[in-house]
Amino acid sequence: MELKNTNIDQIKSTFSAYEPPSVDFKAELLASGHINRTFKILNNGKYYILQKINALVFKNPQVITQNILTVSQHLKSKSYPHPVLKLLPFSDGHYWLENQWRLFRFTGNSKTYEKVQSRKQAFEAAKFLGEFHFFLNNLDAHNIQDSIVGFLDFNSRTEQFENALESASEERLAQSKHEIKFIQDHRFILEEWNSLLPKIPTRVIHADPKISNFLFDEADENKVLALIDWDTIMAGTILYDFGDMVRSYTNLRKEDDPKNGNNFNKENYLALKDGFLVHLKNVLTDEEIFGLDLAAKTVVYIQAVRFLTDFLNNDVYYATQSPGQNLDRTKNQLNLLRAIIDNQ
Ligand code: GN1
Ligand code: MG
C-alpha cells in the first residue's frame, strides 16, 4: 500500500489518537467517494478505515454515529449473518476526533469495484442488499434520524436545478444545453414517482447502495462480504435503494464515462430484480414490487439532475478531478436512462 496525495504525518498523528502508529504503519487515499476523504490504514498488521467527513454535506455528525450504532445493534440482536460496520472510539472514548475524523475496523481481504463484472455479481449484490433489508424490516423508522435533511425530497432537487439554471454561467449553460433539455422533457418520470410515493411504506434504508459500497471477497468476485458507507441510512422508500443499485449494477461504463450509446445491461437488470426479491418477496407490498421499474428510472433521473445541478453551480458539491467531470457524469446517467426507458 502506498500513500498518494496525502500528508502522511497528518494521517499518522490523527491515527495516534486511537493507538500508537507501529513501524509497519501505512496509509492510502481511497479515491472512490465523492464527498468524504477516506484512507485505508495498516497498523500492527490490522486494517482500518480512517475518514474525514465533509462537514458542508453532513452538518450533524452525531446523528450519523447514532444511526450506525442503532442499526448495527439491531442487526446484531437479530443475528444478522454478515459483518456490521464497527465504529472504533478514539482513546478519549469519543467516536469523533475534532468533530470530523472517525475510524472503522476493516476486513483486509476485501475488494471493491467501480464497474459491474458479471450478471452473477449483480444478482449476489442485490440478494445481499435484500437480506440487509430483511433484517432491518422490523426496525422502527422513528429510531433513525435524517443525516441530510431533504436528501430524498426530489421536488426540492428539481428546485435546486431550476435555481442553478438561473445562476449558471453562459459557458456552462451552452455546454450542457442538450442535457438540460432532456431533463426538462422527462419531468413526467418524477410526476409518476410523486403519485406512487403516498401508496408505499416508509422503511429504514441505506440510500447509497452503489457498487463501490459493497465489499467483495478478494478471491471471489461474486461473494459479497459487507455493505459499507452507512452515512445516509435514513427513513425513506426501499425503492430508492433498488433504483440506486440499478444505477451502478446495470451500467456497463464507469459513472463518469460520457460515451454515447447504450450503457445499460438488461440481463443484469433482471438479475438485480431476482436477487433483490430472494429475501424480500414476502416483505414488500404489491405497490413496492410494481414500483421497481419506475424506481430505476427515477433514481437515475435524479442522479443526473444532481450531477448537472452541481456542474451548473461550478462543482461545489461532488469532488471532481476535471472541470467537465460532473457534465460527463450527467451524460453517463442520461445514456443509462435512455436505455432503461427503451429496454425495460
Ligand atoms: C455520493 O460520496 P459517495 O460516493 O458515497 C452521494 C450519493 C450519490 C453518489 C453518486 C451524501 O456518494 O448520494 O448517489 O455520490 N452522497 C451524498 O456516485 O450526496
Ligand atoms: Mg455515500
Side-chain angles (χ1 to χ4, degrees):
M1 226 173 24
E2 268 180 28
L3 194 81
K4 297 170 201 144
N5 309 323
T6 318
N7 176 350
I8 183 122
D9 292 333
Q10 189 199 11
I11 300 302
K12 238 186 190 170
S13 98
T14 304
F15 186 82
S16 69
Y18 173 69
E19 66 179 22
S22 59
V23 281
D24 69 349
F25 182 90
K26 286 202 173 82
E28 177 190 320
L29 175 64
L30 299 179
S32 80
H34 299 340
I35 310 286
N36 301 326
R37 284 171 70 75
T38 306
F39 303 91
K40 188 172 169 184
I41 306 284
L42 175 67
N43 196 55
N44 253 325
K46 289 188 194 141
Y47 287 97
Y48 302 85
I49 289 289
L50 181 66
Q51 249 185 344
K52 187 178 186 189
I53 198 129
N54 181 335
L56 294 174
V57 173
F58 295 103
K59 301 205 165 68
N60 190 348
Q62 308 303 335
V63 165
I64 303 178
T65 310
Q66 197 44 56
N67 287 345
I68 293 177
L69 295 175
T70 304
V71 168
S72 51
Q73 272 155 18
H74 176 83
L75 290 175
K76 270 193 236 153
S77 77
K78 300 285 170 194
S79 308
Y80 178 65
H82 303 289
V84 296
L85 219 52
K86 191 165 169 20
L87 264 173
L88 298 173
F90 289 95
S91 54
D92 64 1
H94 291 110
Y95 288 113
W96 290 99
L97 184 73
E98 297 157 8
N99 222 17
Q100 56 178 349
W101 291 94
R102 62 175 171 180
L103 194 67
F104 296 101
R105 268 316 293 279
F106 184 67
T107 41
N109 59 345
S110 66
K111 184 169 174 183
T112 54
Y113 295 87
E114 292 292 321
K115 220 168 75 169
V116 62
Q117 304 296 301
S118 67
R119 181 183 178 281
K120 171 91 175 131
Q121 189 183 49
F123 175 86
E124 290 301 329
K127 184 171 145 195
F128 197 93
L129 180 64
E131 186 181 19
F132 183 74
H133 276 289
F134 178 83
F135 279 87
L136 285 184
N137 186 30
N138 42 18
L139 173 59
D140 186 342
H142 290 107
N143 294 322
I144 297 293
Q145 293 179 60
D146 277 358
S147 48
I148 303 177
V149 175
F151 188 80
L152 297 172
D153 181 348
F154 297 167
N155 297 325
S156 92
R157 298 257 183 227
T158 305
E159 256 170 58
Q160 287 157 15
F161 173 63
E162 298 292 340
N163 293 340
L165 287 175
E166 297 291 315
S167 59
S169 69
E170 287 304 323
E171 191 193 351
R172 289 203 173 207
L173 284 170
Q175 282 174 304
S176 55
K177 66 171 192 275
H178 298 299
E179 290 69 32
I180 293 171
K181 175 150 183 0
F182 189 91
I183 284 173
Q184 288 171 334
D185 288 347
H186 286 76
R187 283 276 154 76
F188 62 89
I189 296 176
L190 272 195
E191 281 155 27
E192 251 185 88
W193 176 259
N194 285 337
S195 52
L196 178 66
L197 264 192
K199 301 182 198 142
I200 50 182
T202 298
R203 303 177 185 273
V204 177
I205 69 165
H206 180 279
D208 194 11
K210 65 181 191 184
I211 187 165
S212 55
N213 282 335
F214 288 76
L215 301 184
F216 290 88
D217 191 326
E218 220 169 37
D220 181 354
E221 69 178 28
N222 296 324
K223 184 165 180 217
V224 186
L225 298 178
L227 177 59
I228 56 168
D229 189 3
W230 292 11
D231 295 341
T232 44
I233 281 186
M234 60 181 72
T237 161
I238 197 169
L239 292 182
Y240 184 83
D241 274 5
F242 178 75
D244 195 54
M245 165 163 238
V246 170
R247 212 173 62 70
S248 53
Y249 278 95
T250 63
N251 194 337
L252 296 170
R253 303 216 180 95
K254 285 191 181 165
E255 194 180 63
D256 61 355
D257 183 340
K259 222 183 300 132
N260 269 335
N262 181 355
N263 55 353
F264 171 70
N265 184 313
K266 186 163 185 185
E267 299 271 285
N268 288 1
Y269 182 64
L270 297 175
L272 288 174
K273 268 188 173 171
D274 288 348
F276 197 57
L277 292 176
V278 170
H279 294 278
L280 294 177
K281 55 181 168 302
N282 298 322
V283 173
L284 299 189
T285 65
D286 290 347
E287 285 83 5
E288 283 174 318
I289 292 178
F290 167 80
L292 293 174
D293 286 343
L294 177 61
K297 286 182 285 200
T298 309
V299 176
V300 175
Y301 177 82
I302 277 298
Q303 189 64 61
V305 170
R306 293 176 63 194
F307 284 146
L308 189 51
T309 302
D310 199 35
F311 175 74
L312 295 169
N313 287 338
N314 296 325
D315 313 319
V316 288
Y317 187 87
Y318 294 108
T320 49
Q321 274 83 48
S322 69
Q325 196 174 13
N326 272 321
L327 182 56
D328 287 346
R329 289 170 176 153
T330 308
K331 290 180 179 168
N332 175 282
Q333 297 299 303
L334 293 183
N335 285 335
L336 187 65
L337 179 58
R338 267 185 217 105
I340 296 178
I341 293 171
D342 291 346
N343 290 290
Q344 221 172 25

